[in-house]
């Protein structure tokens, strides 16, 4: 498992996340970031080229060492300063209310204790700050949902802990955020993997 998770999985993650269909999502989500930004689960750094003022600096948090190395490479092409934090979202090494924006793109599916991670995001985000997200998750269609529940146990094992069936909207709301905007719908591709939630939220 070590070789798969430490070497193969980071390469697969980078390859899968380079999907061109994801670029318009990245442009919209990253384009709304402001001030001091914390990106959760930055992966290989594919969002980093999209940051521009009014984003002032990016703290790119990522627990997988190989992905941190890849993100460090990607940070050289960024137009604002980027610092890499090798850490988990379940224990964010930052002070209370110390960031203006939090970004998550296709990350909440993979965090083992997502509720703890969202509580940490709520803690470090300043009052009035924004949580910007695009995530795949639980479908509103019963037939698709059944497949998501059936596939998730095996999918988690091969896809780095990814859950297909997380209820993204209620997870965010239950963590103490008010949703300002949310758009949902399927992207092209197999329905259990492609129901997207894109939007923004603020601490209640
Ligand atoms: C599908 S990848 C998405 C990467 C990146 N956000 C993107 O859009 O390309 C999921 C990411 O979640 C990260 N992740 C998994 N568990 C995590 C945790 N506990 N804290 C923070 N990130 C985590 C993985 O290491 C991986 O980089």
């Amino acid at each position: 498992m070590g070789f798969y998770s430490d070497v193969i999985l980071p390469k697969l993650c980078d390859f899968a996340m380079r999907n061109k269909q994801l670029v318009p999502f990245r442009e919209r989500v990253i384009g709304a970031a402001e001030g001091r930004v914390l990106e959760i689960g930055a992966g290989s750094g594919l969002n980093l080229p999209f940051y521009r003022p009014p984003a002032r600096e990016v703290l790119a948090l990522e627990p997988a060492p190989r992905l941190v190395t890849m993100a460090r490479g990607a940070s050289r092409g960024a137009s604002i300063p980027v610092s890499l934090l090798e850490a988990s979202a379940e224990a964010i090494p930052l002070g209370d209310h110390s960031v203006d924006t939090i970004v998550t793109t296709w990350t909440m599916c993979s965090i083992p204790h997502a509720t703890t991670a969202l509580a940490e995001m709520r803690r470090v985000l300043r009052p009035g700050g924004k949580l910007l997200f695009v995530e795949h998750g639980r479908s509103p269609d019963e037939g698709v949902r059944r497949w998501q529940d059936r596939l998730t146990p095996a999918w988690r094992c091969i896809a780095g802990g990814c859950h297909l069936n997380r209820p993204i909207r209620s997870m965010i709301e239950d963590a103490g955020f008010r949703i300002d905007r949310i758009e949902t719908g399927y992207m092209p591709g197999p329905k259990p993997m492609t129901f997207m939630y894109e939007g923004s939220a603020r601490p209640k």
Side-chain angles (χ1 to χ4, degrees):
M1 194 62 194
F3 186 72
Y4 181 72
S5 60
D6 297 347
V7 179
I8 307 283
L9 210 50
K11 288 189 176 158
L12 280 179
C13 170
D14 177 55
F15 177 75
M17 298 313 294
R18 283 182 188 275
N19 181 343
K20 287 198 166 42
Q21 290 179 359
L22 306 183
V23 169
F25 292 95
R26 295 190 191 281
E27 285 172 341
R28 286 192 297 270
V29 172
I30 306 307
E34 295 174 356
R36 188 175 198 227
V37 182
L38 170 64
E39 185 175 327
I40 301 289
S44 58
L46 295 171
N47 286 331
L48 298 179
F50 296 98
Y51 285 100
R52 300 270 180 281
R56 195 176 64 242
E57 69 167 307
V58 185
L59 307 168
L61 179 146
E62 169 56 50
R66 292 228 173 210
L67 289 171
V68 171
T69 303
M70 289 187 214
R72 189 163 286 121
S75 72
R76 293 188 194 111
S79 54
I80 62 170
V82 177
S83 311
L84 274 300
L85 298 178
E86 190 174 320
S88 166
E90 291 128 332
I92 300 174
L94 295 174
D96 296 357
H97 308 150
S98 58
V99 300
D100 301 300
T101 305
I102 294 184
V103 166
T104 78
T105 62
W106 301 287
T107 294
M108 289 189 206
C109 57
S110 306
I111 298 176
H113 303 287
T115 306
T116 307
L118 276 158
E120 278 290 89
M121 293 182 218
R122 176 81 175 70
R123 178 182 68 77
V124 301
L125 188 59
R126 72 164 167 79
K130 291 189 283 191
L131 169 64
L132 303 173
F133 58 90
V134 56
E135 298 288 339
H136 71 91
R138 194 159 187 79
S139 161
D141 302 315
E142 199 187 324
V144 178
R145 255 197 331 258
R146 242 184 270 127
W147 275 107
Q148 290 180 319
D149 293 339
R150 262 186 222 135
L151 290 171
T152 288
W155 184 254
R156 279 174 62 183
C157 295
I158 55 171
C162 174
H163 296 68
L164 298 171
N165 54 359
R166 285 196 163 156
I168 299 298
R169 179 180 187 136
S170 61
M171 282 166 56
I172 292 172
E173 288 175 330
D174 292 350
F177 290 94
R178 191 190 65 240
I179 303 267
D180 285 337
R181 181 184 71 79
I182 191 160
E183 281 165 42
T184 57
Y186 294 102
M187 249 181 57
K191 287 192 164 180
M193 285 85 180
T194 56
F195 190 78
M196 299 292 158
Y197 295 74
E198 178 190 337
S200 84
R202 286 176 199 272
K204 276 184 202 155

